C-alpha cells in the first residue's frame, strides 16, 4: 500500500510541477513581451493584483475551512472510533475511521482553498477598480450615490458577499460530512440522531449564512436600479414604493432570524429556532413577492403613464448618458427641391468624393488585380481621407498581408524564417474608375508605386490582421521581401520589434513555449536574432489592456514619412449603469475614449485618450498611469486620420431612434419612433463621406446614417458624426419637416426598379452571361437637398468574376437617371458640366485636351493593363495595351521641356 501511495503522490507531484513549469513559461514570455513594448509597470501591477487577490481569497478560505475542521476534530464520538473490517484490505484488517476522516477533512480544506486561488485571481480587475474608483459627478435618484459606486465598488461588494455565501455553505457541508462519518450524526432504524455539540456548530454556520443572506437583501436594494420592465429599465414605481420598502424590512428580520436560530438551538428550543425562520419566509413571500405584484396589477397598470412618469424620465436621462446621446445636437433640415448645377459646382469636393466602390466588390477587384501572388491576401477594405496634391480626398485602401495558408512550400524555415511579412497596400479614390470600369489606384504594385505625393517608404507589414503566431528575424537566412520579373528580392529585418534570442536559455524556453524545439536546435538562429510574437494586432493590444473592448475593423494609415500604422478603436463598457437600457450582453454604457496605434513594422503600441470625460477611462488612467497618453502626443500626421467608428455610431443610432424622444408621454406612446432604413432585406450601414455640413464652411470627413419613421419608408432625419480636428466626436442629427415627404432608401430603390429603361438594361445584362450587383444606395445631402447615388457592377458568371463598375444611378426629386459615370448622370439631371480637377501647378494641355498629369496617368494605367494581360496570357490584349502605352509615351516625349 505504501508503494502505491508513493506512486500516486509522485504522479501528483509531477503533474503539479508540469503545470507550474508551463505557467512559468507563460509568465516569462509575457514579461518579455511587456518589456518589449515598454509596459512593464502594467504587467507588474496586473500580475501583483492577480497574485494578491487570489492569495487573499485562498488564505481566507483555508482559515475558515481549517478552523471548522479543527473545531469538528476536537469532538470525539464513541460510536465512531473504530470500525472492524472483516475482509483484508491492503494487508490491514482494521483501521481507525475517526483518524482517517480527521486527516481527510484537513486535506480537503487545503485542496478547496487551492482551487479558490486561481478562481479568485480572475477578480483582480474588480479589486483595482474598487481601489482606483473616480467620481463621476452624477448621482442616482433613489439612493443619491455617485454612479461610480455602481460601476466600481458594488461589483466587488457583490462578489465578496457571494464568495462568503459559497464559503459558508462549503464549510457547513464539509463539517456535516465530518460529523456523519465520525458518528456525530447517526441514522439508525429510520431515526436521525445529532449530537448536541454538532447542533451548536452547524447552527452557528447556518446562522452566519442567514446573516450573509441579510447582506444580500440589503444589496438587492441597489439591484432594483437594474430591473427590466416593459416600459422602462430601472427602479419603477412598484420597485421604489413596495420592493424597496420590503427589502428594508426584511434585512433586520433576517438578522433577527439568524440570532434566533442560534439561540434556539443552543437552548434546545425548537420554537425559538423555527419561529424567526417562519417569520422570515412569511415576510419574503408576502412582502417581496405578493405585495409588489398586487400593487402593480391593481394600482400601477391602470395609471401607468401617470405613476411611472418620473421613472421614465430617469430611464431616458440615464440611457442618453450611457450611450453618449446627451451630447447629440438636433437641428432642423428644411429640405427643398431647388438644387441647381451651381450648387453642384459649389460642392464639387463632395461630388468627387461620393463613394462609388462598395467594399465587397472592391475587395474582389483588388484581390485579382493587386494580389500579385497567391500567398498574399487582402483582408478587407477601409475608408480614410488624405490631402493629396492639395485636394482633400476620400480613399479606400487595403493592406497586402501574407497568407501562411497559401505558401507554396510549407516548412518550418519557410513559415518562420523566410516568409515573415506582408508588403504594401492598394489605395485609390472612392469614386475613381477607369474606362474599363476598374478602380483607379493611387498606390499599387510591389514594391508600392504611387501616382501622388503620398509615398510608402517602409512597406513591410510584420504586424497585421492575419499573421501566424511567431516568426524569427535577423537570422542567417534572408527574409523574402517581394517577387519581381527578374527574381525574388530578399531583406533583413532592421526594426526594434520582438525579443532578442540572446541566450541558449531563452531559445530553450521559447522552444518549450511554442512547442517546437527547432527554435533551440536551428543553426540559422544567432544571438542577434529576434522572435516576433503576438503579431495579430488585436491579440497584441488585448494582451496589454484586456479590460478594453477592441473594434473588429482596424484600419491602416500611411504616415507623412511613408511608414505604415494601424489604428484600432478601443471601447470602455459596463453593464452596471443604473436606469440605462441594455443592449447585447447586458451592456448599457459604452464609450470610445482610446485610439490604439500599432506600428506595422516595429510592433510598438501606443494608447491615446481622445475622450478624457469618460469615467471608466479616467479610473483606468489612475490605475495604470504609464499606459495611456494624451491625444496631444499623437503625431499630427496620424491624428489627421482618426475617425468616428462605425460600430459605435451603429449602437448610438439604434438607441437614438427611440431615445430622441425626451418627453415621457411621447416616449411611453412611441409617438415619434424612428428606425434605421432597411432595403433589399438588409439594414443600412453607416457610411463615410466627405461633405460640407449645413453650418460648415468647408468639406470634412463625416460618418452618416439616415433614419425613417417606424414602419414607414420616408426619411425622418439623418445623423452625422464628425471626425476632423477639434470637431471630432461631435454628432448632429438633422430632422426633416413632418409635413413633407422626403424619399427614403426603400422608396428610391422601388423607383429605380420601376424605371422602364433601367429595368430593361438590368434584365439584358443578366441574360448575357453577366451578374448585376447593385451597390449601396447612398443618401448624399448637398446644400438643402438630397441626391441618391447607387453604383452598378457587372461580374462575368462563366469564370472567376472581376467586378467592373459599369453604371451609376442618380436620383433627385422625381427624376432617376442611369449613366456610365457620376458626372454624366449629374450633367443629365441638372443640365450642366462639372469643372475639371485642377492639378497643382500650371499645366499646358496635351494630347486630345489632356493635361500632362492625365496623360502620364493614362500611360501608367495602360502599362498596368498590359501587365495584367501578360499574367493572364491574353496575348492580343497584351499587344494592344503595349502599343497604346508606347503611343502615349511617344506623345509625352514630343513636348519640349518635358
Amino acid at each position: 500500500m505504501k508503494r502505491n501511495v508513493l506512486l500516486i503522490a509522485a504522479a501528483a507531484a509531477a503533474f503539479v510541477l508540469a503545470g507550474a513549469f508551463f505557467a512559468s513559461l507563460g509568465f516569462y514570455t509575457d514579461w518579455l513581451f511587456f518589456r518589449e513594448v515598454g509596459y512593464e509597470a502594467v504587467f507588474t501591477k496586473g500580475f501583483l493584483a492577480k497574485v494578491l487577490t487570489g492569495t487573499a481569497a485562498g488564505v481566507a478560505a483555508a482559515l475558515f475551512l481549517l478552523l471548522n475542521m479543527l473545531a469538528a476534530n476536537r469532538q470525539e464520538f464513541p460510536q465512531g472510533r473504530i470500525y472492524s473490517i472483516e475482509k483484508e484490505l491492503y494487508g490491514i484488517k482494521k483501521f481507525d475511521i475517526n483518524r482517517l476522516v480527521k486527516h481527510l477533512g484537513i486535506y480537503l480544506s487545503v485542496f478547496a482553498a487551492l482551487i479558490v486561488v486561481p478562481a479568485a485571481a480572475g477578480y483582480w480587475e474588480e479589486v483595482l477598480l474598487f481601489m482606483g474608483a473616480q467620481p463621476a459627478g452624477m448621482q442616482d435618484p433613489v439612493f443619491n450615490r455617485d454612479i461610480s459606486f455602481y460601476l466600481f465598488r458594488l461589483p466587488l461588494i457583490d462578489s465578496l458577499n457571494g464568495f462568503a455565501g459559497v464559503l459558508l455553505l462549503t464549510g457547513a457541508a464539509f463539517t456535516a460530512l465530518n460529523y456523519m462519518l465520525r458518528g456525530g450524526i447517526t441514522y439508525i432504524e429510520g431515526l436521525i440522531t445529532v449530537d448536541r455539540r454538532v447542533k451548536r456548530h452547524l447552527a452557528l454556520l447556518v446562522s452566519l449564512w442567514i446573516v450573509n443572506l441579510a447582506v444580500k437583501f440589503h444589496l438587492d436594494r441597489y439591484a432594483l436600479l437594474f430591473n427590466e420592465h416593459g416600459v422602462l429599465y430601472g427602479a419603477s414605481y412598484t420597485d421604489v414604493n413596495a420592493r424597496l420598502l420590503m427589502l428594508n424590512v426584511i434585512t433586520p428580520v433576517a438578522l433577527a432570524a439568524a440570532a434566533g436560530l442560534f439561540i434556539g438551538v443552543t437552548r434546545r428550543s425548537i420554537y425559538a429556532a423555527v419561529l424567526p425562520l417562519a417569520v422570515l419566509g412569511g415576510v419574503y413571500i408576502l412582502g417581496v413577492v405578493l405585495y409588489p405584484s398586487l400593487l402593480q396589477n391593481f394600482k400601477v397598470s391602470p395609471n401607468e403613464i401617470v405613476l411611472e412618469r418620473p421613472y421614465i424620465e430617469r430611464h431616458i436621462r440615464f440611457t442618453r448618458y450611457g450611450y453618449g446621446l446627451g451630447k447629440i445636437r438636433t437641428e432642423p433640415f428644411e429640405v427643398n427641391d431647388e438644387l441647381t448645377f451651381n450648387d453642384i459646382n459649389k460642392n464639387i469636393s463632395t461630388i468627387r468624393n461620393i463613394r462609388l466602390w462598395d467594399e465587397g466588390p472592391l475587395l474582389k477587384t483588388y484581390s485579382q488585380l493587386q494580389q500579385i501572388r497567391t500567398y498574399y491576401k487582402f483582408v478587407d477594405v477601409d475608408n480614410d481621407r488624405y490631402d493629396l496634391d492639395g485636394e482633400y480626398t476620400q480613399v479606400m485602401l487595403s493592406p497586402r498581408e501574407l497568407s501562411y495558408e497559401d505558401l507554396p512550400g510549407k516548412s518550418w524555415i519557410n513559415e518562420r524564417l523566410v516568409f515573415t511579412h506582408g508588403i504594401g497596400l492598394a489605395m485609390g479614390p472612392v469614386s475613381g474608375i477607369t474606362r474599363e470600369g476598374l478602380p483607379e489606384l493611387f498606390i499599387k504594385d510591389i514594391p508600392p508605386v504611387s501616382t501622388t505625393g503620398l509615398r510608402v517608404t517602409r512597406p513591410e507589414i510584420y504586424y497585421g490582421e492575419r499573421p501566424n503566431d511567431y516568426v524569427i528575424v535577423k537570422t542567417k537566412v534572408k527574409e523574402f521581401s517581394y517577387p519581381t520579373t527578374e527574381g525574388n528580392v530578399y531583406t533583413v529585418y532592421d526594426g526594434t520589434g520582438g525579443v532578442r534570442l540572446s541566450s541558449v536559455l531563452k531559445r530553450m524556453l521559447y522552444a518549450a513555449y511554442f512547442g517546437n524545439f527547432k527554435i533551440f536546435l536551428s543553426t540559422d538562429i544567432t544571438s542577434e536574432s529576434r522572435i516576433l510574437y503576438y503579431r495579430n494586432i488585436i491579440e497584441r493590444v488585448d494582451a496589454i489592456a484586456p479590460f478594453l473592448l477592441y473594434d473588429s475593423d482596424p484600419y491602416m494609415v500611411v504616415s507623412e514619412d511613408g511608414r505604415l500604422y494601424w489604428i484600432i478603436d478601443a471601447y470602455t463598457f459596463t453593464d452596471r449603469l443604473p436606469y440605462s437600457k441594455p443592449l447585447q450582453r447586458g451592456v448599457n454604457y459604452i464609450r470610445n475614449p482610446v485610439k490604439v496605434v500599432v506600428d506595422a513594422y516595429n510592433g510598438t503600441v501606443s494608447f491615446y485618450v481622445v475622450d478624457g470625460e469618460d469615467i471608466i477611462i479616467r479610473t483606468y488612467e489612475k490605475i495604470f498611469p504609464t499606459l495611456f497618453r494624451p491625444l496631444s502626443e499623437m503625431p499630427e500626421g496620424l491624428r489627421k486620420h482618426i475617425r468616428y467608428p462605425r460600430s459605435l455610431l451603429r449602437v448610438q443610432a439604434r438607441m437614438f431612434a427611440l431615445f430622441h424622444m425626451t418627453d415621457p408621454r411621447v416616449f411611453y406612446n412611441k409617438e415619434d419612433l424612428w428606425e434605421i432604413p432597411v432595403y433589399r432585406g438588409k439594414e443600412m450601414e453607416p457610411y463615410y463621406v466627405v461633405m460640407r455640413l449645413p453650418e460648415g464652411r468647408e468639406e470634412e470627413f463625416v460618418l452618416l446614417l439616415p433614419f425613417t419613421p417606424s414602419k414607414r419608408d420616408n426619411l425622418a432625419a439623418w445623423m452625422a458624426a464628425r471626425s476632423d480636428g477639434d470637431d471630432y466626436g461631435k454628432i448632429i442629427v438633422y430632422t426633416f419637416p413632418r409635413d413633407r415627404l422626403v424619399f427614403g432608401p426603400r422608396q428610391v430603390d422601388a423607383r429605380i426598379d420601376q424605371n422602364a429603361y433601367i429595368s430593361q438594361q438590368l434584365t439584358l445584362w443578366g441574360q448575357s452571361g453577366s451578374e448585376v450587383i447593385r451597390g449601396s444606395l447612398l443618401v448624399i445631402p448637398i446644400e438643402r437637398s438630397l441626391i441618391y447615388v447607387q453604383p452598378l457592377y457587372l461580374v462575368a458568371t462563366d469564370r472567376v468574376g472581376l467586378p467592373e463598375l459599369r453604371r451609376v444611378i442618380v436620383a433627385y426629386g422625381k427624376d432617376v437617371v442611369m449613366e456610365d459615370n457620376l458626372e454624366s448622370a449629374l450633367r443629365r439631371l441638372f443640365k450642366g458640366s462639372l469643372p475639371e480637377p485642377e492639378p497643382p501647378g500650371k499645366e499646358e494641355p496635351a494630347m486630345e485636351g489632356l493635361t500632362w498629369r492625365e496623360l502620364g496617368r493614362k500611360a501608367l494605367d495602360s502599362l498596368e493593363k498590359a501587365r495584367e494581360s501578360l499574367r493572364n496570357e491574353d496575348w492580343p490584349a497584351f499587344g494592344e495595351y503595349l502599343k497604346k502605352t508606347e503611343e502615349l509615351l511617344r506623345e509625352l516625349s514630343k513636348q519640349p521641356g518635358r
Side-chain angles (χ1 to χ4, degrees), residues 358-372:
D358 280 4
E359 295 173 3
L362 186 61
L363 181 62
K364 292 181 181 179
T365 304
Y366 277 176
S367 297
Q368 295 192 46
L369 297 181
Q370 284 293 302
Q371 189 169 296
I372 310 299

Side-chain angles (χ1 to χ4, degrees), residues 716-763:
W718 56 281
M719 174 181 279
R722 309 171 78 173
S723 295
D724 289 350
D726 295 335
D727 291 324
Y728 173 81
K730 296 179 180 179
I731 303 178
I732 308 174
V733 172
Y734 296 93
T735 57
F736 297 111
R738 294 191 181 184
D739 58 352
R740 296 196 56 186
L741 173 64
V742 181
F743 290 124
R746 186 179 294 177
Q747 293 170 320
V748 174
D749 193 61
R751 291 175 57 212
I752 293 173
D753 289 337
Q754 294 166 5
N755 185 285
Y757 171 73
I758 296 176
S759 178
Q760 181 184 28
Q761 290 298 311
L762 294 179
T763 302

Side-chain angles (χ1 to χ4, degrees), residues 161 206-218 247-263 272-273 276-277 279-281 283:
N161 189 62
V206 173
S207 298
L208 289 175
W209 182 81
I210 296 176
V211 171
N212 175 262
L213 186 63
V215 175
K216 185 180 184 303
F217 286 141
H218 180 75
L247 286 173
N248 285 330
V249 170
I250 201 172
T251 300
V253 171
L255 292 175
L261 173 67
F262 183 72
I263 294 173
L277 295 178
V279 172
L280 177 62
V283 171

Side-chain angles (χ1 to χ4, degrees), residues 28 67 186 229 348 388 414 607 623 676 682 697 708 755 792:
Y28 183 64
L67 284 175
T186 58
H229 306 279
I348 191 62
L388 299 177
N414 272 351
F607 295 80
I623 296 172
I676 298 175
K682 187 177 180 181
R697 296 183 178 179
T708 61
N755 185 285
L792 295 181

Side-chain angles (χ1 to χ4, degrees), residues 399 401 463-465 537 554-556 565-568 596-598 600:
E401 297 198 52
Y463 300 88
E465 295 184 80
I537 54 175
Y555 60 101
M556 177 165 280
Y565 293 89
W566 294 96
I567 295 183
I568 308 171
V596 188
V597 177
V598 182

Side-chain angles (χ1 to χ4, degrees), residues 194-236:
V194 183
D195 188 271
R196 181 171 57 85
R197 294 165 296 175
V198 175
K199 288 181 180 179
R200 280 202 302 265
H201 191 173
L202 294 180
L204 176 62
L205 293 177
V206 173
S207 298
L208 289 175
W209 182 81
I210 296 176
V211 171
N212 175 262
L213 186 63
V215 175
K216 185 180 184 303
F217 286 141
H218 180 75
L219 296 178
D220 283 346
R221 301 180 313 142
Y222 301 118
L224 296 176
L225 301 180
F226 305 93
N227 279 353
E228 188 164 5
H229 306 279
V231 67
L232 64 92
Y233 182 88
S236 65

Side-chain angles (χ1 to χ4, degrees), residues 460-608:
E460 297 88 353
I461 302 174
Y462 283 87
Y463 300 88
E465 295 184 80
R466 59 172 304 157
N468 60 0
D469 51 357
Y470 75 94
V471 294
I472 302 174
V473 297
K474 301 186 77 170
T475 65
K476 295 179 181 178
V477 179
K478 289 188 175 182
E479 303 168 48
F480 173 80
S481 186
Y482 57 86
T484 66
T485 54
E486 292 79 17
N488 293 335
V489 175
Y490 293 87
T491 187
V492 176
Y493 183 70
D494 191 32
T496 59
V499 177
R500 273 188 61 198
L501 298 174
S502 54
S503 67
V504 175
L505 179 60
K506 278 186 180 180
R507 291 176 60 177
M508 183 181 297
L509 290 175
Y510 277 111
Y513 180 73
F514 287 109
N516 195 319
F517 275 86
K518 292 179 181 178
I519 299 175
F520 175 69
L521 300 174
S522 175
T523 58
D524 294 319
I525 300 174
T526 70
S527 60
E528 296 298 319
S529 299
R530 309 180 75 91
I531 183 167
L532 279 57
Y533 54 107
Y534 284 121
R535 299 176 63 220
N536 180 287
I537 54 175
I538 298 296
E539 294 177 358
R540 189 173 185 83
V541 298
D542 188 63
I544 299 171
F547 42 80
L548 298 176
L549 177 67
Y550 298 96
D551 200 293
S552 59
D553 185 29
Y555 60 101
M556 177 165 280
V557 172
V558 183
S559 68
E560 293 177 345
D561 61 354
R563 299 180 67 90
L564 302 180
Y565 293 89
W566 294 96
I567 295 183
I568 308 171
D569 289 290
Y571 304 96
T572 53
F573 64 97
T574 183
D575 58 356
R576 306 289 298 188
L577 182 65
Y579 276 107
S580 180
K581 181 179 178 64
L583 286 175
Q584 296 178 355
R585 296 190 299 172
V587 171
N588 61 5
Y589 175 99
I590 188 168
R591 292 290 189 277
N592 171 226
V594 175
K595 304 290 184 181
V596 188
V597 177
V598 182
D599 189 319
Y601 188 74
N602 288 321
T604 54
V605 181
S606 301
F607 295 80
Y608 296 100

Side-chain angles (χ1 to χ4, degrees), residues 316-514:
I316 295 172
R317 180 162 61 93
F318 277 84
T319 300
R320 288 172 65 87
Y321 172 78
Y323 296 95
L325 308 183
K327 296 182 179 180
I328 296 178
R329 184 160 55 93
T330 303
E331 298 286 345
F333 189 81
E334 297 296 333
V335 65
N336 60 53
D337 294 329
E338 301 172 2
L339 192 65
T340 67
F341 214 88
N342 288 333
D343 297 323
I344 296 291
N345 285 328
K346 282 170 56 179
N347 294 271
I348 191 62
S349 181
T350 298
I351 298 300
R352 288 175 179 160
N353 286 287
I354 293 177
R355 178 171 60 83
L356 299 181
W357 285 101
D358 280 4
E359 295 173 3
L362 186 61
L363 181 62
K364 292 181 181 179
T365 304
Y366 277 176
S367 297
Q368 295 192 46
L369 297 181
Q370 284 293 302
Q371 189 169 296
I372 310 299
R373 292 291 186 271
T374 57
Y375 43 80
Y376 289 122
K377 281 288 184 291
F378 292 104
V379 178
D380 60 11
V381 177
D382 297 308
N383 279 268
D384 203 352
R385 72 285 195 199
Y386 289 82
D387 285 312
L388 299 177
D389 300 331
E391 294 185 7
Y392 194 56
T393 305
Q394 184 178 348
V395 301
M396 302 183 78
L397 67 153
S398 184
R400 187 184 292 106
E401 297 198 52
L402 194 63
S403 174
Y404 287 88
E405 296 84 0
D406 300 305
L407 287 178
K410 291 190 177 181
S411 66
W412 183 82
I413 292 179
N414 272 351
E415 293 183 13
R416 308 299 178 182
L417 307 184
V418 178
F419 291 91
T420 57
H421 58 274
I423 186 163
L425 71 159
M427 176 193 288
V430 292
S431 60
I433 57 173
T434 66
R435 291 183 178 179
E436 292 75 22
L438 300 176
E440 180 184 354
L441 292 171
F442 289 156
I443 300 177
K444 57 184 179 180
D445 296 342
I446 303 177
V449 176
S450 176
T451 60
T452 69
L454 186 66
R455 297 286 186 270
V456 179
T457 59
R458 179 60 78 181
E460 297 88 353
I461 302 174
Y462 283 87
Y463 300 88
E465 295 184 80
R466 59 172 304 157
N468 60 0
D469 51 357
Y470 75 94
V471 294
I472 302 174
V473 297
K474 301 186 77 170
T475 65
K476 295 179 181 178
V477 179
K478 289 188 175 182
E479 303 168 48
F480 173 80
S481 186
Y482 57 86
T484 66
T485 54
E486 292 79 17
N488 293 335
V489 175
Y490 293 87
T491 187
V492 176
Y493 183 70
D494 191 32
T496 59
V499 177
R500 273 188 61 198
L501 298 174
S502 54
S503 67
V504 175
L505 179 60
K506 278 186 180 180
R507 291 176 60 177
M508 183 181 297
L509 290 175
Y510 277 111
Y513 180 73
F514 287 109

